[in-house]
């Protein structure tokens, strides 16, 4: 069994070590979604168990506790950039779960949309009962963007219109796994944008636009571990740097539940492992309420502090409906 898990980890990890391209994304950035995971420092790869799994780790779809699961999240950075996420997960049976989601950000000047279709498979589907502690996941993604459609961006001189406008289309895929070591502890692995490519088209009246070209989105690889017992949960994620211009990042978070697990207090932080730079602190609270027809509403609020970025503190509000 240990050999099987080791092989799976190596196979997923090896997808991302293709080259040493820049890992500084300019478009379709992963800003982290969900007030709960971000208030826990972004340590969530081995914990995710709802529709947020579509983004964090598609293997977590197998851990959805009921047939239907709907997640909504919204966050604004620097009072300027707004990102929204809507995700839906459905448990077909004990072995197969499906999900779909939409990420949207931007305005007329620049807009981006990502469509996701995901699947989670429990290892027992392969006919081996000893694999029932293993979950595998895959998310297929479509990227779309448009830019330069804002009227206030026009600049015309003797040479012509300088404003650049255009669009982009592309694809990507995420793969992941989760494994239940004991009743209290889990490990996870997520490789985002393991395969991807974006095709850009741009033009302007002066001919100075870059024209048609394609580029990739940097691949990311995250290992996760979590331990839960009684009312306390601890989580640790490690982002392994795959490129020379990026540092390894560590994420640490915790959660304490009380009042019959109807109230949760959370905190966490993340930072570059060796330089201790780009540190972020997260704090949050969550509650759940019984609503109509035995449906459960999870309401989460989180606040993220980024000391190194002026105006970079963010308030996150998200909801999750379980039925």
């Amino acid at each position: 069994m240990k050999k099987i898990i080791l092989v799976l980890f190596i196979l997923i990890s090896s997808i991302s070590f293709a080259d040493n391209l820049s890992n500084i994304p300019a478009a379709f950035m992963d800003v982290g979604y969900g007030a709960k995971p971000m208030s826990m420092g972004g340590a969530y790869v081995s914990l995710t168990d709802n529709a947020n799994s579509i983004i964090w780790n598609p293997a977590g779809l197998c851990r959805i506790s009921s047939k239907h699961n709907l997640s909504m999240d919204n966050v604004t950075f620097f009072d300027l950039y707004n990102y929204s996420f809507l995700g839906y997960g459905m448990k077909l049976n004990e072995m197969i779960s499906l999900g779909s989601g939409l990420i949207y950000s931007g305005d007329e000047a620049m807009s981006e949309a990502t469509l996701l279709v995901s699947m989670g498979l429990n290892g027992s589907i392969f006919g081996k009962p000893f694999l029932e502690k293993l979950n595998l996941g895959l998310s297929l993604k479509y990227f779309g963007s448009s830019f330069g459609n804002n009227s206030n961006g026009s600049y015309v001189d003797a040479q012509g219109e300088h404003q650049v406008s255009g669009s982009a289309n592309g694809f990507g895929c995420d793969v992941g796994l989760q494994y239940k070591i004991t009743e209290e502890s889990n490990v996870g692995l997520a490789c985002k944008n393991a395969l991807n490519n974006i095709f850009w088209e741009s033009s302007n009246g002066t001919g100075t636009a870059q024209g048609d070209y394609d580029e990739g989105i940097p691949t990311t690889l995250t290992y996760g571990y979590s331990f839960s017992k009684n009312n306390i949960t601890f989580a640790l994620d490690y982002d392994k740097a795959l490129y020379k211009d990026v540092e390894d990042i560590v994420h640490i978070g915790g959660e304490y539940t009380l009042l019959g697990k109807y109230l949760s207090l959370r905190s966490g932080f993340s930072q570059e492992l060796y330089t201790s730079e780009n540190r972020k602190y997260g704090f949050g609270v969550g509650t759940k309420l019984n609503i109509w027809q035995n449906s459960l509403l999870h309401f989460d609020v989180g606040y993220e502090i980024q000391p190194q970025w002026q105006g970079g503190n963010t308030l996150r509000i998200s909801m999750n409906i379980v039925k």
Side-chain angles (χ1 to χ4, degrees), residues 76-79 303-307 309-315:
T76 301
F77 292 94
F78 303 102
D79 296 323
Y303 192 72
E304 191 175 40
I305 300 173
Q306 303 184 57
W309 293 93
Q310 184 176 358
N313 297 352
T314 56
L315 175 67

Side-chain angles (χ1 to χ4, degrees), residues 166-306:
S167 62
N169 294 277
F171 68 89
C173 72
D174 301 343
V175 293
L177 65 81
Q178 288 180 336
Y179 181 72
K180 187 175 183 179
I181 303 175
T182 67
E183 288 299 320
E184 294 85 14
S185 57
N186 294 273
V187 293
L189 175 63
C191 182
K192 297 183 180 181
N193 296 310
L195 299 172
N196 71 90
N197 204 15
I198 308 293
F199 305 92
W200 294 88
E201 298 178 355
S202 63
S203 62
N204 63 357
T206 62
T208 56
Q210 190 165 349
D212 299 343
Y213 63 99
D214 65 280
E215 65 179 0
I217 299 176
T219 300
T220 63
L221 181 65
T222 303
Y223 303 89
Y225 169 80
S226 60
F227 179 85
S228 300
K229 189 170 184 179
N230 299 326
N231 298 334
I232 298 176
T233 297
F234 167 81
L236 171 67
D237 278 13
Y238 171 58
D239 295 345
K240 173 58 183 173
L242 306 180
Y243 308 91
K244 296 178 180 180
D245 54 353
V246 176
E247 299 289 340
D248 294 355
I249 299 176
V250 61
H251 308 261
I252 299 175
E255 178 184 52
Y256 177 71
T257 59
L258 60 161
L259 300 180
K261 295 190 176 182
Y262 276 83
L263 180 65
S264 300
L265 305 177
R266 307 172 182 124
S267 64
F269 79 96
S270 64
Q271 68 174 37
E272 293 179 359
L273 183 60
Y274 301 111
T275 65
S276 299
E277 294 182 352
N278 292 321
R279 181 172 295 188
K280 302 177 183 178
Y281 300 93
F283 306 91
V285 61
T287 186
K288 55 184 179 180
L289 302 170
N290 289 310
I291 47 179
W292 72 96
Q293 298 180 352
N294 297 321
S295 297
L296 197 64
L297 170 66
H298 294 257
F299 183 78
D300 300 300
V301 178
Y303 192 72
E304 191 175 40
I305 300 173
Q306 303 184 57

Side-chain angles (χ1 to χ4, degrees), residues 96-118:
I96 304 175
S97 298
L98 301 177
S100 61
L102 169 66
I103 302 171
Y104 179 81
S105 66
D107 51 27
E108 292 180 343
M110 177 74 175
S111 65
E112 296 177 351
T114 302
L115 298 174
L116 303 97
V117 178
S118 307

